[in-house]
């Protein structure tokens, strides 16, 4: 176990596989010691057939959480061993019903005795241990069902990489980046429109000189994201959040959220009551980001963009 002590929790999968291998090897020896010609991997399928009597391969797969091909292969192996038979009588000829053979039912009686011994041995192991592994497994399975390990690791990656992101106010040196990032983003999903060129060609006149703000995200000092807070001439809304774009090479670093936070905080400092935005529902990550920032869907305002099919607002 020196390797696992050295590597730590990042080797969780390897350690679980090792423990699985140890327990599976012991299981094979246990069956052998009871004089049973039985493979440990058969147990979930065989036990289901003991309980359900006759059932389809698809139903077994759903019951034990295995793939249908995996269950089908195990069934064929147990058929060869004489424990299971298939193509049992069914009103639906498309359903391949499987069940235990007379030999399988005799074997199940012996298996039940062995299972009593195994359960007593596991209870003894739990009693000797400080932590109840069985209860912990149930808890971990529940937690991983709520949020997978992949998603948890990805969130930690975002946290770490976002520490290298700086959100700064617009300066003339970022003019080209502001335009290029937006053109790249818009052209990927839609087409550039007249209103886009107005804002991107003259951000000082169209945004900054009218009381708006532009923020730039720097990743290791390179501009990789932008977003604007545009002053609105509307009685219901003070500002529009617009022109958010993040370079594809910098996505997955929480940059959109950091830019959105900067926009909301700036609007709050400027005394805004409500922020407005327009988007398109094909941009699912963006829509999820807006909801995360607190925006809610609204209807009604005229839009200069053909691509807009959703409007949202945020009470600052």
């Amino acid at each position: 176990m020196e390797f696992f002590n050295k590597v730590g929790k990042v080797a969780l999968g390897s350690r679980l596989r090792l423990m699985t291998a140890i327990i599976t090897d012991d299981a094979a020896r246990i069956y052998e010691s009871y004089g049973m010609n039985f493979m440990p991997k058969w147990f979930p399928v065989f036990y289901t057939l003991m309980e359900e009597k006759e059932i389809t391969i698809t139903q077994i797969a759903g019951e034990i959480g295995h793939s249908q091909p995996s269950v089908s292969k195990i069934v064929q192996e147990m058929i060869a061993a004489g424990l299971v038979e298939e193509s049992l009588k069914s009103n639906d000829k498309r359903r391949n019903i499987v069940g235990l053979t007379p030999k399988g039912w005799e074997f199940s009686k012996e298996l039940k005795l062995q299972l009593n011994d195994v359960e007593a041995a596991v209870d003894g192991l739990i009693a000797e241990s400080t932590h109840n592994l069985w209860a912990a497994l149930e808890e971990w399975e529940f937690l991983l069902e709520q949020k997978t390990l992949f998603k948890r690791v990805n969130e930690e990656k975002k946290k770490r990489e976002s520490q290298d992101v700086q959100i700064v106010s617009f300066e003339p040196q970022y003019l080209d980046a502001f335009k290029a990032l937006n053109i790249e983003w818009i052209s990927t999903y839609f087409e550039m429109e007249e209103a886009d060129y107005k804002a991107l060609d003259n951000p000082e006149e169209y945004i900054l000189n009218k009381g708006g703000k532009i923020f730039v995200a720097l990743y290791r000092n390179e501009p990789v994201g932008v977003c604007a807070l545009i002053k609105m001439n509307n009685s219901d809304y003070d500002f529009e959040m617009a022109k958010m774009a993040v370079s594809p090479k910098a996505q997955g670093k929480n940059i959109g959220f950091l830019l959105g936070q900067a926009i909301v905080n700036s609007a709050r400092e400027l005394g805004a009551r409500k922020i407005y935005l327009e988007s398109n529902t094909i941009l699912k990550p963006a829509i999820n980001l807006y909801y995360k920032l607190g925006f809610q869907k609204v209807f009604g305002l005229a839009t200069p963009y053909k691509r807009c099919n959703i409007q949202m607002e945020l009470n600052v």
Side-chain angles (χ1 to χ4, degrees):
M1 292 299 172
E2 183 178 344
F3 169 76
F4 295 114
N5 291 333
K6 182 167 60 176
V7 176
K9 299 178 184 68
V10 296
L12 173 66
S14 298
R15 190 160 190 173
L16 287 174
R17 280 193 296 273
L18 178 60
M19 178 174 281
T20 299
I22 291 170
I23 293 174
T24 302
D25 288 346
D26 262 357
R29 293 173 62 197
I30 291 167
Y31 288 124
E32 187 179 345
S33 72
Y34 280 72
M36 296 178 172
N37 183 20
F38 193 83
M39 297 179 67
K41 68 175 181 177
W42 295 352
F43 176 74
V45 176
F46 189 87
Y47 188 86
T48 302
L49 290 173
M50 284 171 52
E51 295 289 303
E52 301 292 339
K53 294 187 172 44
E54 295 178 359
I55 190 172
T56 67
I57 288 174
T58 302
Q59 290 170 323
I60 295 172
E63 181 77 19
I64 67 176
H66 287 199
S67 69
Q68 189 168 337
S70 170
V71 172
S72 183
K73 184 180 178 184
I74 289 172
V75 166
Q76 292 304 314
E77 290 173 356
M78 289 197 293
I79 287 172
L83 299 174
V84 170
E85 56 186 336
E86 62 179 343
S87 301
L88 300 178
K89 291 182 179 179
S90 169
N91 292 329
D92 187 348
K93 293 181 180 179
R94 296 169 298 177
R95 289 161 56 87
N96 187 15
I97 306 293
V98 296
L100 299 182
T101 62
K103 178 182 175 181
W105 285 112
E106 279 302 310
F107 182 86
S108 70
K109 296 175 185 177
E110 300 175 41
L111 183 62
K112 287 177 181 178
L113 296 174
Q114 186 238 62
L115 294 181
N116 289 335
D117 297 342
V118 171
E119 186 170 9
V122 172
D123 283 341
L125 188 58
I126 290 173
E128 291 176 31
S129 62
T130 305
H131 306 289
N132 185 330
L133 179 60
W134 188 255
L137 283 172
E138 288 184 349
E139 185 177 21
W140 273 58
E141 286 165 353
F142 171 79
L143 292 172
L144 290 173
E145 188 177 328
Q146 308 308 304
K147 186 189 293 186
T148 64
L149 183 58
F150 172 79
K151 189 169 183 179
R152 292 168 188 269
V153 170
N154 203 37
E155 287 178 353
E156 294 301 323
K157 177 175 179 284
K158 282 185 179 181
K159 284 182 191 176
R160 174 176 54 79
E161 292 184 337
S162 66
Q163 292 173 0
D164 292 327
V165 177
Q166 285 180 284
I167 306 298
V168 299
S169 295
F170 179 86
E171 294 179 12
Q173 70 193 71
Y174 300 128
L175 177 60
D176 290 342
F178 179 62
K179 184 173 182 177
L181 286 167
N182 267 284
I183 291 176
E184 178 183 34
W185 174 82
I186 294 168
S187 301
T188 298
Y189 298 98
F190 310 103
E191 60 181 31
M192 292 286 291
E193 301 180 42
E194 183 182 350
D196 293 313
Y197 288 110
K198 281 184 181 179
L200 299 179
D201 289 337
N202 303 289
E204 292 94 343
E205 177 186 345
Y206 189 80
I207 300 172
L208 300 176
N209 295 345
K210 293 181 179 179
K213 297 276 189 178
I214 297 174
F215 291 98
V216 180
L218 304 178
Y219 182 64
R220 296 174 179 171
N221 296 318
E222 179 187 354
V224 292
V226 292
C227 193
L229 184 67
I230 302 175
K231 184 70 176 172
M232 292 184 70
N233 184 21
N234 185 284
S235 58
D236 293 322
Y237 300 105
D238 303 288
F239 292 95
E240 177 185 3
M241 185 169 84
K243 297 295 174 280
M244 179 184 284
V246 177
S247 171
K249 66 182 180 182
Q251 287 175 358
K253 295 176 173 50
N254 222 26
I255 290 172
F257 184 72
L258 294 174
L259 282 167
Q261 277 189 321
I263 289 290
V264 173
N265 290 338
S266 178
R268 188 175 291 119
E269 290 170 3
L270 292 170
R273 295 172 296 104
K274 277 187 181 182
I275 308 175
Y276 172 81
L277 68 79
E278 299 179 331
S279 189
N280 189 290
T281 49
I282 69 167
L283 306 171
K284 291 183 180 179
I287 302 300
N288 289 336
L289 167 64
Y290 302 145
Y291 279 120
K292 187 176 178 182
L293 287 167
F295 283 86
Q296 296 297 320
K297 189 175 180 181
V298 292
F299 303 92
L301 282 190
T303 173
Y305 296 104
K306 291 186 290 184
R307 62 179 179 264
C308 170
N309 71 353
I310 184 172
Q311 300 168 316
M312 306 180 79
E313 68 176 19
L314 171 67
N315 290 310
V316 179

